[in-house]
Amino acid sequence: MTTAPFISRIERLASVPSTNDVVAGWLDAGVGEVCVASADVQTAGRGRMGRTWVAPPGAALLVSAGFRPSWTGPERAWRIAATVSLAMADAAEDVAGLPGRAVLLKWPNDLVIADAPDAGGAVRKLGGVLGEATGVGTPDPRVVVGIGMNAGWRADDFPPDLATSMTSLTVASGGRPVDAVALLGAFLDRLEPRIEALRAGRFDVADWTARQLTRRTHVRLVRGTDPEDAEDVVAIGVDPLTGALVVEDPGVEGGERQVHAGEITRLLARV
């Protein structure tokens, strides 16, 4: 008995507006899952809330994966992006020679490195994840998950306005060269078993929970998409059933509530 290959289509492209758009077009054309596009340059890469994602050629891994998740319910489709994030965290640590779980997850979609307390305890963004879904809950569901990961980007080349808040695998490893193509291979090697497990109904709750940065932490939370609609709350953790951020709220029954849309913009202090 033969089985279908895990990757149905994979292409590395020199320059595209957005790898998410490339993969979405493949799915529209009938390409099966899992289809993967990577690019050396994105001219119109997207982040959350209308932000752009720009990196020098070869400095970052820019990759998107497309899925047809008829194998899961719409209430759990968020776990696809979460699983992609975990696979990338594993790959990043291996390729850069970082300790296990050095790469953390900051709700809702960032991969970060946290400096040691004796180095100031700063949190620096390593990469971002953008999941886009259409038709979830219908007979033709499609999910595209894009990741931009700073690989061999040198600190001297960081944009001045982001230099204090970002990092790369090369910087986090103390100068180790990190090749984006090698990172892609390591990522795909780790993505396959994680997605196969998810198809079988097994989500790695333990790793996903352990990598969460915002457990028992005072944070600045922007609700929805309005940056002016912000509040300072205590983040308890992230709910493994819904993916929602759980925060303290003495005004509701049980003393906590779930936040399904928003963004943590600042970590204020550990509880």
Side-chain angles (χ1 to χ4, degrees):
M1 178 179 177
T2 59
T3 59
F6 176 68
I7 302 294
S8 67
R9 179 175 180 177
I10 182 168
E11 291 189 25
R12 183 184 174 199
L13 307 163
S15 177
V16 297
S18 163
T19 55
N20 266 29
D21 289 347
V22 170
V23 169
W26 291 349
L27 293 175
D28 287 345
V31 174
E33 66 171 31
V34 176
C35 49
V36 177
S38 67
D40 294 330
V41 175
Q42 286 189 132
T43 58
R46 295 190 296 278
R48 294 188 70 253
M49 299 185 179
R51 300 186 183 101
T52 58
W53 179 276
V54 179
L61 172 59
L62 310 170
V63 61
S64 297
F67 304 86
R68 297 183 179 276
S70 56
W71 34 266
T72 191
E75 73 284 355
R76 295 191 174 184
W78 67 269
R79 289 181 168 179
I80 299 172
T83 297
V84 170
S85 298
L86 292 176
M88 184 61 77
D90 287 341
E93 289 163 355
D94 184 55
V95 170
L98 298 174
R101 291 180 178 157
V103 178
L104 301 176
L105 307 177
K106 182 172 79 70
W107 188 90
N109 74 325
D110 286 346
L111 292 96
V112 301
I113 296 283
D115 290 346
D118 60 2
V123 174
R124 304 179 191 277
K125 183 170 178 176
L126 185 63
V129 182
L130 180 66
E132 297 178 310
T134 58
V136 175
T138 75
D140 186 23
R142 305 173 198 177
V143 173
V144 178
V145 182
I147 292 191
M149 282 286 289
N150 298 330
W153 204 339
R154 292 167 48 87
D156 291 346
D157 299 326
F158 290 172
D161 58 329
L162 298 175
T164 60
S165 62
M166 68 177 284
T167 190
S168 69
L169 290 175
T170 286
V171 172
S173 66
R176 180 170 178 162
V178 176
D179 178 69
V181 176
L183 180 59
L184 174 62
F187 164 65
L188 295 177
D189 285 346
R190 287 153 181 80
L191 183 65
E192 180 170 1
R194 284 189 175 276
I195 290 296
E196 294 294 0
L198 197 63
R199 286 172 175 163
R202 301 187 304 275
F203 174 57
D204 193 347
V205 173
D207 194 26
W208 186 76
T209 300
R211 288 187 186 271
Q212 295 299 322
L213 175 70
T214 49
R215 290 182 292 166
R216 305 302 306 174
T217 306
H218 287 279
V219 301
R220 175 72 46 79
L221 172 67
V222 172
R223 295 172 293 198
T225 59
D226 182 359
E228 300 300 320
D229 186 12
E231 61 178 335
D232 294 343
V233 296
V234 173
I236 299 170
V238 183
D239 179 42
L241 293 179
T242 65
L245 181 71
V246 182
V247 302
E248 286 187 356
D249 189 341
V252 301
E253 185 178 355
E256 60 185 50
R257 61 183 164 89
Q258 293 190 357
V259 179
H260 295 273
E263 181 176 19
I264 292 172
T265 60
R266 188 180 303 171
L267 276 71
L268 303 174
R270 292 289 183 186
V271 175

